Amino acid sequence: MLHMFRLWRPLISGFLYSKPRSAESKISYWCTPIDIDFNAHLNAAVYSIFCDAGRRHLIKNMGMVRVMLKHKWAPVVVDTRFRFYKEIPLWRVFTVTTRIIQSYEKSFIIESRFESKGVLHCVAVELGFFLKKGGRVPRTQLLKFLPDFLIKQLPAPRPEDVKTLDPYLQEQWNFLKKLKETDQSFRTGSSSSYLSIDSFSTSDPNLKKIS
C-alpha cells in the first residue's frame, strides 16, 4: 500500500497542480520495515520502485502529467543499470534526485541518485521514452509543451554530461550509445519492437529485439 502511494502521489498531485517547475526531481523517503532485506538495509528490488517514483515526480515537475494523459502517452523504460556504493539502513531518510542527463530524437537517458547525509548510496542510469500510438514521441513534439525556462534546463546531446560518472556507469553509457547506433528500431522509434539488453558488457554484439 505504501509503495502504491509513493508511485501514484506524483501523478495525482501533478494532475491537480500542472504548472511546470523544474527539469529535476528531488524527493525524500524513509527506509521503512517493508523496504528492507534480511540485513535491515534497503532491498535491492525496492530501488526500482523509487526510480519509478522519481521519474513520475520529474514528469510532474515538468508539468507534463495532464499533457501525457490528454495525448495518451505512456512513459516507458527499456533499460536500467544500477551502481551500489553504500547500503541504506532501516529508518534512514534518503533523497532521490532524478534528472535527464542526455536526450536523443526519441529517447532520454535518466539518472537517479540516492543520497543521505552527504553520502552517495546508489546511482541508476535508465533509458526511456514516451510511447504513443504509432511509435515514440519525438523530442520536438515534447518541447512544444514546455516553457522556455524549462527547455533551457534540459541537456542537449553533450557527452561531457557523464564524465563525472565512475568507470562502471561510463561503460553503461557507452553501451547505450552503441545500442542507439547499431539498432535500427532504436533510431527509427519503431513501435513493433522493444529492446532487451542481454549483457552488461559493451563488447557483447548480441543486441536482441523482441517483437
Side-chain angles (χ1 to χ4, degrees), residues 89-148:
L90 179 63
W91 302 124
R92 175 67 59 85
V93 177
F94 61 95
T95 300
V96 181
T97 303
T98 306
R99 66 188 182 103
I100 297 172
I101 60 173
Q102 184 72 317
S103 59
Y104 297 107
E105 181 183 355
K106 295 183 179 180
S107 58
F108 303 92
I109 294 182
I110 305 163
E111 178 195 68
S112 295
R113 300 174 67 87
F114 294 72
E115 299 173 287
S116 71
K117 300 181 179 180
V119 176
L120 178 63
H121 296 279
C122 174
V123 178
V125 177
E126 301 171 297
L127 174 64
F129 51 84
F130 282 100
L131 189 66
K132 64 177 181 177
K133 185 177 180 180
R136 302 179 186 180
V137 180
R139 173 187 170 93
T140 53
Q141 189 172 356
L142 287 171
L143 295 182
K144 292 179 181 179
F145 298 98
L146 299 178
D148 291 339

Side-chain angles (χ1 to χ4, degrees), residues 2-211:
L2 179 59
H3 291 323
M4 293 297 294
F5 174 76
R6 289 165 172 169
L7 291 174
W8 284 102
R9 183 181 64 171
L11 296 183
I12 295 173
S13 60
F15 180 79
L16 297 175
Y17 308 100
S18 59
K19 185 177 180 180
R21 299 177 181 178
S22 172
E24 180 179 274
S25 162
K26 185 172 290 189
I27 187 167
S28 296
Y29 299 97
W30 287 90
C31 178
T32 68
I34 68 169
D35 300 318
I36 60 173
D37 56 21
F38 287 111
N39 297 315
H41 301 149
L42 187 69
N43 193 314
V46 180
Y47 281 86
S48 295
I49 295 176
F50 288 117
C51 285
D52 194 355
R55 292 192 306 272
R56 296 184 182 203
H57 197 259
L58 178 62
I59 292 173
K60 184 201 81 168
N61 282 358
M62 295 176 68
M64 291 294 293
V65 174
R66 290 189 179 183
V67 174
M68 181 182 71
L69 296 176
K70 178 181 178 180
H71 295 274
K72 298 181 180 179
W73 295 347
V76 177
V77 168
V78 292
D79 184 74
T80 303
R81 304 298 172 95
F82 289 98
R83 174 60 167 172
F84 298 98
Y85 297 94
K86 188 174 179 59
E87 68 279 357
I88 298 178
L90 179 63
W91 302 124
R92 175 67 59 85
V93 177
F94 61 95
T95 300
V96 181
T97 303
T98 306
R99 66 188 182 103
I100 297 172
I101 60 173
Q102 184 72 317
S103 59
Y104 297 107
E105 181 183 355
K106 295 183 179 180
S107 58
F108 303 92
I109 294 182
I110 305 163
E111 178 195 68
S112 295
R113 300 174 67 87
F114 294 72
E115 299 173 287
S116 71
K117 300 181 179 180
V119 176
L120 178 63
H121 296 279
C122 174
V123 178
V125 177
E126 301 171 297
L127 174 64
F129 51 84
F130 282 100
L131 189 66
K132 64 177 181 177
K133 185 177 180 180
R136 302 179 186 180
V137 180
R139 173 187 170 93
T140 53
Q141 189 172 356
L142 287 171
L143 295 182
K144 292 179 181 179
F145 298 98
L146 299 178
D148 291 339
F149 81 91
L150 209 58
I151 294 176
K152 292 178 181 178
Q153 297 179 33
L154 294 174
R158 294 195 306 266
E160 64 267 24
D161 282 346
V162 295
K163 285 185 177 179
T164 57
L165 298 180
D166 66 34
Y168 176 90
L169 290 175
Q170 184 69 53
E171 180 182 1
Q172 311 317 315
W173 168 267
N174 292 334
F175 182 68
L176 292 175
K177 287 203 300 183
K178 179 182 177 182
L179 182 65
K180 176 181 181 295
E181 294 167 357
T182 57
D183 190 277
Q184 181 64 25
S185 68
F186 189 97
R187 294 199 304 271
T188 61
S190 170
S191 61
S192 62
S193 62
Y194 288 87
L195 306 179
S196 174
I197 299 178
D198 299 320
S199 173
F200 275 33
S201 172
T202 57
S203 61
D204 186 357
N206 299 318
L207 304 179
K208 183 180 179 182
K209 291 189 293 183
I210 303 178
S211 299

